[in-house]
Amino acid sequence: MRKPHNSMELLIHLLQIAVLLSTAFRLCVAAADTQHKQVKKTYIVHMDKSHKPASSDDHLKWYESSLKSVSHSAQMFYTYDKVINGFSTRLTEEEAQQLEKKPGVLSILPEIQYELHTTRTPEFLGLGNSESIFPTSDKVSEVVIGVLDTGVWPESKSFDDTGLGKPPTRWKGECQVGNNFNSSSCNRKLIGARFFAEGYERAFGPVDNKTESRSPRDDEGHGTHTTTTAAGSSVSEASLFGFASGTARGMAATARVATYKVCWVGGCFGTDILAGIEQAIKDGVNVLSLSIGGSLNDYTKDTVAIGAFAAMANGIVVSLSAGNSGPSSGSLSNVAPWMITVGAGTLDRDFPVYVSLGNGQKYKGVSLYGGQPLSDEVLPIVYAQKASNSTNGNLCLPSSLVTEKVSGKIVLCDRGGNSRAQKGQVVKDAGGVGMILSNTESYGEELVADAHLLPTAAVGQKNGDLIKAYLSSEANPTATISKGATQLGVQPSPVVAAFSSRGPNPITPEILKPDLIAPGVNILAGWTGAAAPTGLDNDKRRVSFNIISGTSMSCPHVSGLVALLKAEYPEWSPAAVKSALMTTAYSMYNNGKTIIDVATGNPSTPFDYGSGHVDPVAALDPGLVYDATIDDYISFLCALNYSATEIKIVTNKDYTCDVTKKYNLGDFNYPSFAVPFQTALGSSSSVSSSARYTRTLTNVGAPATYKVKVSSYISSIKILVQPELLSFSEEYEKKTYTVTFTAPSLPSGTTSFARLEWSDGKHIVGSPIAFSWT
């Protein structure tokens, strides 16, 4: 292009360039948009079987015909007929939109990636002292717990089958052969093992057998830990480096287990999870345990909720973790009312170490370091922020510490940014000899013990701040860290773990979640032989048992307790089992004070613990239960104004809500109460609103008369229960009552709580009540 000679020519020249650039940009955007639309993604295609053409005698041929009508290259990699009628496939966005318009297609769900929610417990729960009231081992051995996780390490002693007979006659599962896993890997304890990798492999490519096994084998540890927590066989002299030594056993030690490996290095994919649930239903499990969670979605778009409904409809109790996003409000996962949502609390066990400073002050922390301890002589100590050239030097991120400033010293690192154990690796690599891991405001006083790689003390924010103050005030600060130990009888216990996700329920505020809490902090259970206790690649230590924390650990506790209830009452519905656990849970210590929330140091609320901390001894004799049928759950969906199509997506059943009937969420027969009120704009507290809830109790004990008792945190909320007495003359007799809540208009964001109890003098059937104003 020639050079312009004057200003007008220059202006025209610049305009020409602008037009060319604009056109090029639009072409690039269009090309990128076209390319984006051509990228294939994984979808779950939900078909309406009632629309299958009469000319098609095979539903698989119908699926394939529907798929080929929009894509000749697409292939089905899973088909489903228990959880839904449909299949999984890879399609472009345009192809998915076209398929969704085809006759007989109910919905097309994009792949959702889920994540894992990463001993003394039986004694703490009362299982060790009350064996005479629990179901016999032969009854428990008829129960099968299916665990969807990272697989299992079959050589673990926790899968010893000594004393167990043949699997239940109804069992249809198998031991799937794969990399590092053969048919002999299963036994009469581990009676089923399968893996599901199709969804994962379509996202990340083939499983790399150098880093993980394309089989049910657990190379990560999480699945072995959760499975043995639920139903591990008794193993004497179990410990982690001598910590928590004793006999390790699962909640239902003689129950059978089946593993469904759906989680891989890259995560857990909805298509694989749905296929795992589908197979577990076909195999004949009684309980499903999923320590898995993901983003919150409406029930019609929640793969796990849809799968859990199908399991529940087949009489299977489904237990899921609440999530590790606490203490933020409304941070829950897995909130559907047909599943048990489990939060986390602590045990009465701790692993204390002590930091002794050069000024004579001593501060308590925790650790599971099992190597050579530091001497009693004090050593130089430095705050990582002062020993790093990095902006976030205080966090001890990889390669952030200056060796010359760290070598031979104890280093104080702040929590956050990377894993707690990795911080110790960073300190060790830089020449440090010990670490103090200090909580920041985000973590408060919550202490989680880890199997560190060098002498370490994890301390709360208060102690951390005091130690930092000492470092800043001394020219040559010194310290040492004591050897760790195991301490029993810690009080108060339990407390709600800070990481445990909290309510209110962000999807359906009228359903209180979590349902309850169970032990989830510093839990000892079986571990894989393929990974270190820290999970770090540089950690070459291998252990048979590990101590880790998370709602991932609390969930299988409840799954194992469910197995005990199913063994004693095999005829009970999933709703009845859940009710027994919820209405007998406790929210107060023996001194009458409410369970503490470690995140705040204050009393916790039902948004933190749900119905309370699980009490298996009481749950075996609940007196009354709040039962629910499939029709009740469908009525619940009608109360949410679901269309017939939406109901079928969730339930896989044909149902149209009765337009002449008024469906009310307050009438859904849930064992707890959540009562959301709307704040009236511009109104004073003298303006009140009311809500009327209905509940039905079923007698599962001896004939008795129950009297109601209500206690409220604030007197301005009026609670009227009618009738006040319920008399039962026979087993499985049902009685209905109503509760009317009348409350003043309070500012948006206000919460308050109450409790309703029915008692016959022997049993207490308790329900928390949570009020909220928005």
Side-chain angles (χ1 to χ4, degrees):
M1 187 177 287
R2 69 180 181 85
K3 186 176 181 181
H5 293 292
N6 54 54
S7 58
M8 180 59 70
E9 203 170 315
L10 176 62
L11 179 60
I12 293 171
H13 179 66
L14 291 173
L15 287 171
Q16 289 173 332
I17 292 174
V19 170
L20 288 170
L21 289 173
S22 176
T23 303
F25 176 75
R26 287 199 304 271
L27 289 171
C28 287
V29 170
D33 187 54
T34 301
Q35 186 177 13
H36 171 73
K37 288 183 177 179
Q38 295 306 310
V39 173
K40 294 207 170 201
K41 300 177 182 178
T42 299
Y43 294 91
I44 297 170
V45 182
H46 193 167
M47 304 291 286
D48 187 344
K49 204 170 181 179
S50 65
H51 282 68
K52 182 172 72 71
S55 58
S56 179
D57 57 353
D58 185 346
H59 68 280
L60 294 180
K61 290 181 180 178
W62 174 47
Y63 295 168
E64 188 171 0
S65 173
S66 300
L67 181 59
K68 295 302 182 186
S69 71
V70 300
S71 173
H72 291 293
S73 61
Q75 301 288 327
M76 296 183 292
F77 58 87
Y78 285 127
T79 59
Y80 311 100
D81 59 28
K82 288 290 186 183
V83 289
I84 63 170
N85 294 120
F87 56 92
S88 295
T89 188
R90 299 273 287 180
L91 296 169
T92 65
E93 184 178 320
E94 184 178 354
E95 289 168 344
Q97 291 171 353
Q98 291 174 359
L99 183 59
E100 195 162 25
K101 297 174 183 176
K102 295 291 180 181
V105 177
L106 272 174
S107 70
I108 296 183
L109 297 179
E111 176 82 279
I112 298 174
Q113 186 174 347
Y114 295 83
E115 60 185 19
L116 297 165
H117 286 156
T118 309
T119 183
R120 177 170 171 76
T121 315
E123 287 72 23
F124 180 71
L125 293 176
L127 302 184
N129 302 320
S130 312
E131 300 217 354
S132 61
I133 71 169
F134 282 91
T136 58
S137 60
D138 60 323
K139 284 185 179 180
V140 179
S141 68
E142 288 295 307
V143 180
V144 183
I145 303 175
V147 182
L148 274 69
D149 213 297
T150 63
V152 294
W153 188 259
E155 293 80 12
S156 170
K157 292 182 179 179
S158 295
F159 297 119
D160 180 36
D161 65 354
T162 301
L164 289 174
K166 292 181 180 180
T169 55
R170 70 176 190 285
W171 179 245
K172 298 180 178 66
E174 65 178 43
C175 203
Q176 185 177 359
V177 174
N179 182 248
N180 296 323
F181 203 96
N182 53 48
S183 58
S184 64
S185 298
C186 294
N187 57 16
R188 293 185 176 187
K189 177 68 174 180
L190 177 63
I191 62 173
R194 300 180 189 264
F195 66 95
F196 302 85
E198 299 291 343
Y200 169 76
E201 290 184 323
R202 277 157 179 79
F204 286 95
V207 171
D208 183 358
N209 278 314
K210 293 179 181 178
T211 57
E212 58 181 335
S213 303
R214 196 178 190 278
S215 75
R217 181 169 291 278
D218 178 17
D219 301 297
E220 197 269 359
H222 191 275
T224 302
H225 198 281
T226 56
T227 305
T228 57
T229 296
S233 300
S234 293
V235 181
S236 60
E237 299 180 2
S239 74
L240 172 65
F241 304 135
F243 294 103
S245 60
T247 298
R249 65 183 181 96
M251 298 298 96
T254 58
R256 319 296 180 127
V257 293
T259 186
Y260 300 87
K261 183 176 178 179
V262 298
C263 296
W264 306 84
V265 168
C268 320
F269 287 81
T271 48
D272 296 328
I273 294 170
L274 205 62
I277 296 174
E278 167 102 3
Q279 192 59 58
I281 294 171
K282 292 178 178 178
D283 287 347
V285 304
N286 304 100
V287 185
L288 270 178
S289 186
L290 292 85
S291 294
I292 294 170
S295 58
L296 274 172
N297 287 295
D298 179 80
Y299 304 128
T300 59
K301 297 179 176 64
D302 187 338
T303 307
V304 171
I306 292 169
F309 190 98
M312 178 276 300
N314 280 273
I316 300 167
V317 185
V318 187
S319 172
L320 293 108
S321 48
N324 298 336
S325 299
S328 301
S329 176
S331 53
L332 291 160
S333 296
N334 303 318
V335 297
W338 47 85
M339 56 179 67
I340 304 178
T341 308
V342 188
T346 62
L347 293 171
D348 63 342
R349 180 178 66 196
D350 206 357
F351 304 101
V353 293
Y354 293 89
V355 177
S356 297
L357 303 180
N359 63 1
Q361 294 298 309
K362 196 173 183 179
Y363 299 102
K364 183 180 178 181
V366 297
S367 181
L368 292 168
Y369 171 70
Q372 183 67 31
L374 295 177
S375 69
D376 292 336
E377 298 296 320
V378 292
L379 298 166
I381 178 173
V382 62
Y383 186 22
Q385 194 173 51
K386 305 291 186 181
S388 171
N389 295 324
S390 169
T391 305
N392 296 314
N394 61 309
L395 297 177
C396 295
L397 301 176
S399 305
S400 66
L401 298 178
V402 178
T403 300
E404 292 76 15
K405 297 181 179 181
V406 167
S407 183
K409 298 180 181 179
I410 295 171
V411 181
L412 188 150
C413 304
D414 283 332
R415 187 172 166 185
N418 58 337
S419 78
R420 300 180 298 269
Q422 187 184 54
K423 294 177 188 291
Q425 179 74 63
V426 171
V427 171
K428 187 176 182 180
D429 290 346
V433 296
M435 177 176 70
I436 297 171
L437 180 59
S438 174
N439 279 1
T440 57
E441 185 178 358
S442 300
Y443 300 99
E445 298 307 306
E446 178 188 55
L447 296 179
V448 179
D450 296 288
H452 291 284
L453 290 158
L454 79 172
T456 296
V459 299
Q461 182 192 2
K462 293 177 183 177
N463 283 348
D465 288 347
L466 291 169
I467 296 171
K468 290 173 190 175
Y470 165 71
L471 297 186
S472 63
S473 66
E474 288 287 331
N476 297 295
T478 57
T480 190
I481 301 170
S482 71
K483 182 180 180 180
T486 301
Q487 179 184 359
L488 302 178
V490 174
Q491 295 300 329
S493 64
V495 298
V496 178
F499 61 74
S500 186
S501 291
R502 314 302 173 93
N505 185 333
I507 299 296
T508 313
E510 292 82 0
I511 299 296
L512 179 62
K513 291 282 183 170
D515 289 312
L516 40 74
I517 61 172
V521 179
N522 297 334
I523 304 301
L524 178 78
W527 196 245
T528 177
T534 60
L536 299 173
D537 292 339
N538 292 337
D539 186 356
K540 302 305 178 184
R541 299 173 298 176
R542 295 295 181 266
V543 296
S544 298
F545 293 87
N546 198 8
I547 296 174
I548 56 177
S549 301
T551 54
S552 276
M553 285 63 255
S554 55
C555 167
H557 277 92
V558 170
S559 304
L561 298 178
V562 166
L564 295 179
L565 284 169
K566 288 294 287 184
E568 187 66 21
Y569 307 107
E571 73 282 3
W572 280 12
S573 70
V577 171
K578 177 164 71 170
S579 174
L581 290 167
M582 290 175 64
T583 61
T584 58
Y586 62 91
S587 58
M588 292 185 176
Y589 303 119
N590 290 335
N591 62 8
K593 294 185 177 180
T594 302
I595 290 174
I596 295 295
D597 179 1
V598 74
T600 62
N602 298 321
S604 55
T605 76
F607 285 140
D608 306 321
Y609 56 70
S611 291
H613 191 283
V614 67
D615 182 350
V617 176
L620 276 166
D621 184 19
L624 306 174
V625 296
Y626 293 90
D627 206 355
T629 65
I630 294 173
D631 287 344
D632 292 323
Y633 289 110
I634 291 177
S635 293
F636 163 80
L637 297 176
C638 287
L640 292 175
N641 296 317
Y642 273 33
S643 66
T645 297
E646 290 172 321
I647 288 173
K648 186 152 191 179
I649 290 171
V650 176
T651 68
N652 209 27
K653 299 182 184 301
D654 291 306
Y655 191 87
T656 300
C657 302
D658 185 348
V659 294
T660 65
K661 180 179 178 181
K662 184 178 180 180
Y663 296 93
N664 183 2
L665 288 170
D667 293 339
F668 179 62
N669 205 36
Y670 213 65
S672 57
F673 295 84
V675 189
F677 288 112
Q678 294 290 323
T679 299
L681 294 176
S683 67
S684 68
S685 60
S686 61
V687 177
S688 63
S689 54
S690 63
R692 186 174 182 269
Y693 284 30
T694 302
R695 291 292 190 269
T696 299
L697 283 162
T698 301
N699 182 36
V700 292
T705 296
Y706 286 78
K707 184 177 182 179
V708 73
K709 174 186 175 184
V710 176
S711 57
S712 179
Y713 284 28
I714 55 176
S715 58
S716 58
I717 299 177
K718 306 301 180 185
I719 303 173
L720 175 65
V721 181
Q722 293 178 309
E724 295 183 349
L725 294 175
L726 296 176
S727 294
F728 298 90
S729 58
E730 59 186 13
E731 192 176 20
Y732 300 121
E733 184 179 0
K734 296 178 182 295
K735 295 284 185 177
T736 297
Y737 68 94
T738 63
V739 190
T740 303
F741 305 102
T742 304
S745 180
L746 297 177
S748 179
T750 301
T751 59
S752 187
F753 307 95
R755 185 169 176 81
L756 182 154
E757 293 180 349
W758 292 95
S759 178
D760 64 347
K762 176 185 178 183
H763 306 92
I764 295 177
V765 185
S767 297
I769 305 169
F771 302 98
S772 59
W773 282 261
T774 57

